[in-house]
Amino acid sequence: TSSTGKPSVLGSLSLSSAYSAPNLDIECASFSASANLTCKNLSVTGATTATGTVTLETSGATGISLGADSSFENITFSSGTKVTTSSNINVTGSWTNNGSFTANAGAVSFTSTSNPEPTVNFSGSGTNTFYDLVLQRNIYVQSSNTINHDLIAIKQRQGNFGNISFYTGTTQTVAGQVNFKGIGSGSGQRQQAACETAGSTWNLECTGPNNHVFEFVNLSGCNNISGYPIVLKNSRDTGSNINFTFPGLN
């Protein structure tokens, strides 16, 4: 056991089959799982790598601590769960947060190398506080989020990749820069950012300076509640946008 009384693995802990440990607290230097996993009060000082669906739970005031950079396929935070990190997290599948997630530094990135690229869900009834949030795949953003640094969506591949749908009425609150950028103006090159319901809106609230970058973007259904208009370059107003300007609309 460690000084905290938890079972401790000084080196790496690896699981290769489905495992549920709802009453087990673990501390380890690094952690990997290649199957579905449920665990409580996990504390990892090194890297976490997991495929399948990882469900994290906490009890009482104890929280989940993720140390070095981590990679997940699908991740779920159960109700009441508190997760903190200051490192990078890469997610190749869905994110479901019914608890509380706080990143004091680092980026949470949603990525994919699949072709065709499926659309994943970013959902849950909990609270997300990101440092940097990076959206680089087809994704439905179903929750409101706080981003204490930058919100980034830069298209990586031409075609039906990296398209973002925001659910009606959700608010993305960004303290730093919003950087939405496509590859160019050709077919399949623009970054798509839309409300999931045509004619409805999602909210963008920028609390920092107006230094945002929108270029080669098809934008729709966005209500900019930042207190200043945002300029989009070489972009298209595809409907229901509020408080944006599109000089040189193309």
Side-chain angles (χ1 to χ4, degrees):
T1 61
S2 69
S3 60
T4 63
K6 294 183 181 181
S8 179
V9 179
L10 296 180
S12 298
L13 176 62
S14 178
L15 298 173
S16 58
S17 59
Y19 187 72
S20 179
N23 297 309
L24 182 62
D25 296 0
I26 297 177
E27 287 184 352
C28 55
S30 64
F31 181 82
S32 64
S34 55
N36 294 346
L37 169 71
T38 299
C39 61
K40 179 180 286 188
N41 301 345
L42 178 69
S43 178
V44 184
T45 57
T48 300
T49 304
T51 57
T53 297
V54 174
T55 301
L56 299 179
E57 302 176 349
T58 56
S59 60
T62 305
I64 302 286
S65 176
L66 299 176
D69 294 355
S70 302
S71 178
F72 296 95
E73 185 175 352
N74 303 309
I75 186 165
T76 297
F77 308 133
S78 297
S79 178
T81 297
K82 301 175 182 178
V83 180
T84 60
T85 186
S86 294
S87 299
N88 298 314
I89 297 177
N90 187 64
V91 183
T92 59
S94 294
W95 172 289
T96 306
N97 179 15
N98 295 315
S100 173
F101 174 83
T102 302
N104 298 309
V108 173
S109 301
F110 291 83
T111 65
S112 173
T113 58
S114 298
N115 186 8
E117 183 175 275
T119 299
V120 298
N121 293 323
F122 178 177
S123 62
S125 59
T127 60
N128 293 306
T129 303
F130 298 102
Y131 186 72
D132 287 329
L133 177 60
V134 181
L135 307 175
Q136 291 182 338
R137 62 162 305 137
N138 293 336
I139 189 167
Y140 285 141
V141 181
Q142 301 178 32
S143 60
S144 296
N145 300 290
T146 299
I147 301 105
N148 285 332
H149 196 232
D150 295 342
L151 172 60
I152 301 167
I154 298 177
K155 193 174 183 69
Q156 302 296 300
R157 295 182 284 173
Q158 183 171 347
N160 187 28
F161 306 104
N163 299 323
I164 307 166
S165 294
F166 294 92
Y167 270 45
T168 301
T170 58
T171 299
Q172 312 306 311
T173 303
V174 185
Q177 184 186 66
V178 180
N179 189 344
F180 282 18
K181 194 170 183 179
I183 299 169
S185 60
S187 176
Q189 292 185 332
R190 295 178 183 273
Q191 176 65 59
Q192 307 282 339
C195 185
E196 46 86 28
T197 301
S200 298
T201 58
W202 58 281
N203 302 312
L204 177 64
E205 181 180 22
C206 301
T207 61
N210 189 359
N211 61 350
H212 312 296
V213 176
F214 286 78
E215 188 169 14
F216 300 120
V217 176
N218 286 351
L219 185 70
S220 68
C222 186
N223 180 17
N224 171 22
I225 58 174
S226 306
Y228 49 73
I230 294 177
V231 177
L232 286 79
K233 297 179 180 179
N234 302 309
S235 297
R236 288 178 178 165
D237 180 354
T238 51
S240 302
N241 296 303
I242 301 170
N243 203 19
F244 291 92
T245 59
F246 292 80
L249 185 70
N250 67 25

